[in-house]
Amino acid sequence: MSETSCSFFIEKEFQDGQLESVSAGLSSSYKDKGALMAFRGIPISELTNHGILQALTAETNGWQPGVVSEEVLRAQEEWEVVDTIHPDIESGVRSQQPGQLISFSEALEHFQSVDLSSFKKRIQPTIQRTGLAALRHCLFGPPKLHQGLREERDLVLTIAQCGLDSQNPTHGRVLQTIYKKLTGSKFDCALHGDHWEDLGFQGANPATDLRGAGFLALLHLLYLVMDSKTLLMAQEIFRLSHHHIQQFPFCLMSVNITRIAIQALREECLSRECNRRQKVIPVVNSFYAATFLHLARVWRTQQKTILDSGFVLKDLEALAKKSPKRLLKTLDDYLAQVSKGQASLLEAHKRPGSQGPHSKDLTFTGVCDLQSHSSESAGLI
């Protein structure tokens, strides 16, 4: 950079010839290129020793402030009344660091520790039967749930009445954990967005798909992906849901299976097993996983597509209520094989000439969309 260009540069920074004296001072002080190169490496704190800052700030050198226009003054006044924004350092750190995964037990403890009395008032713990249906159930139906287990049952049904609150940190962690475990991502994602459609929700907001199952649907998904025994099964079913022909909305299907589990619990279909284990929540979780496993096997082996969804779920509900013990035994056998590396849902299976429609052009039919043939079946919560 020459003396002339250095002078021109400073004059462009301060228009109307206000720094002519400064540029002149620079020309006299730095008369060769070596001095200019040395000037570039000088720290700001040392510029005072070279007379640069004095030349820029001293009014005695001939520099006078120019006339400030009314527009500039008005803009300055508007800027001065703007509140200073202080960055939230802690939240900034949290947004840059991936959130911790949450376990099923931790999420359950959250619901056990908060006041759910307003939601508990809405539940119907059992199906109300009258006439011959009540007599038949009394004579041939499953046993009643032990008195000591009814509070745990009511908690399950109460959670099913709770919706998803995106402002609740625990709710957000549950969603993030499900997303990360299914996709393999190590980073947090937005709680609203098109990426939830990739997991099998119908829209950008997962809360809109929890009708009839509430937050229990998300707890079931959390159980499926956070239990080391069922994680492989969850990942296999998730891959099956993205099959180019047999694709289906994974999370929406899971919500429908949670509805079946809720109904089975209310109809006391799980009471015998709960009484035997002296627990409710683990039985309901296992029943959910076993039902999902059975659906996946039927879906794969019978070449089901999204067009068959409503009828598959209807048959699945009837089987699950009639033979819960059979489903649970199938799950135990499958998990035992998984532990030995022998079980797989997605063995190569292809029917020659098979063609199927794309799920985006079809409508998913859930268990609530088909009428039940049984007069005893009440509407899902």
Side-chain angles (χ1 to χ4, degrees), residues 130-193:
T130 58
L132 291 177
L135 179 60
R136 184 169 63 251
H137 181 77
C138 181
L139 295 176
F140 308 107
K144 291 186 176 296
L145 188 68
H146 291 170
Q147 184 69 35
L149 299 176
R150 293 178 184 177
E151 183 177 351
E152 189 177 353
R153 174 203 62 192
D154 292 350
L155 175 62
V156 173
L157 298 177
T158 300
I159 295 175
Q161 291 290 335
C162 299
L164 170 63
D165 181 5
S166 59
Q167 301 301 318
N168 187 307
T170 300
H171 291 202
R173 287 180 63 197
V174 170
L175 272 181
Q176 298 284 4
T177 300
I178 293 170
Y179 181 84
K180 291 176 182 177
K181 298 296 283 188
L182 287 177
T183 64
S185 173
K186 297 184 180 300
F187 302 97
D188 290 341
C189 62
L191 298 183
H192 294 163

Side-chain angles (χ1 to χ4, degrees), residues 14-59:
F14 299 86
Q15 299 176 0
D16 301 328
Q18 293 172 349
L19 280 181
E20 294 178 357
S21 60
V22 175
S23 59
L26 285 175
S27 299
S28 60
S29 299
Y30 301 95
K31 294 185 177 180
D32 53 36
K33 294 182 179 179
L36 287 174
M37 296 300 294
F39 165 69
R40 292 180 180 178
I42 298 175
I44 294 178
S45 59
E46 295 295 326
L47 292 179
T48 55
N49 299 330
H50 296 266
I52 303 301
L53 294 183
Q54 289 89 337
L56 292 174
T57 57
E59 294 182 1

Side-chain angles (χ1 to χ4, degrees), residues 37 82 254 266 346 354:
M37 296 300 294
V82 175
S254 174
R266 294 181 63 222
L346 302 180
S354 293

Side-chain angles (χ1 to χ4, degrees), residues 26-231:
L26 285 175
S27 299
S28 60
S29 299
Y30 301 95
K31 294 185 177 180
D32 53 36
K33 294 182 179 179
L36 287 174
M37 296 300 294
F39 165 69
R40 292 180 180 178
I42 298 175
I44 294 178
S45 59
E46 295 295 326
L47 292 179
T48 55
N49 299 330
H50 296 266
I52 303 301
L53 294 183
Q54 289 89 337
L56 292 174
T57 57
E59 294 182 1
T60 56
N61 288 345
W63 177 80
Q64 296 293 333
V67 178
V68 181
S69 66
E70 294 183 2
E71 293 182 358
V72 174
L73 291 175
R74 190 182 308 110
Q76 183 177 359
E77 292 175 356
E78 293 176 356
W79 177 254
E80 289 176 351
V81 299
V82 175
D83 293 335
T84 302
I85 301 176
H86 300 283
D88 187 350
I89 298 177
E90 294 183 359
S91 63
V93 173
R94 286 197 301 268
S95 63
Q96 296 175 2
Q97 297 178 350
Q100 292 184 346
L101 301 180
I102 186 171
S103 65
F104 175 85
S105 59
E106 184 180 353
L108 180 63
E109 288 173 2
H110 165 75
F111 285 97
Q112 291 173 329
S113 63
V114 298
D115 182 15
L116 301 176
S117 56
S118 60
F119 298 101
K120 190 174 182 179
K121 295 176 182 178
R122 307 177 191 172
I123 69 172
Q124 296 179 351
T126 58
I127 296 295
Q128 301 299 321
R129 299 177 176 86
T130 58
L132 291 177
L135 179 60
R136 184 169 63 251
H137 181 77
C138 181
L139 295 176
F140 308 107
K144 291 186 176 296
L145 188 68
H146 291 170
Q147 184 69 35
L149 299 176
R150 293 178 184 177
E151 183 177 351
E152 189 177 353
R153 174 203 62 192
D154 292 350
L155 175 62
V156 173
L157 298 177
T158 300
I159 295 175
Q161 291 290 335
C162 299
L164 170 63
D165 181 5
S166 59
Q167 301 301 318
N168 187 307
T170 300
H171 291 202
R173 287 180 63 197
V174 170
L175 272 181
Q176 298 284 4
T177 300
I178 293 170
Y179 181 84
K180 291 176 182 177
K181 298 296 283 188
L182 287 177
T183 64
S185 173
K186 297 184 180 300
F187 302 97
D188 290 341
C189 62
L191 298 183
H192 294 163
D194 294 341
H195 50 279
W196 293 110
E197 296 181 26
D198 296 334
L199 263 65
F201 287 103
Q202 290 187 108
N205 183 7
T208 60
D209 289 334
L210 303 182
R211 178 177 59 89
F215 204 88
L216 183 64
L218 296 179
L219 281 188
H220 277 167
L221 276 172
L222 182 67
Y223 159 76
L224 204 64
V225 300
M226 288 302 288
D227 191 303
S228 59
K229 296 180 295 184
T230 57
L231 175 59

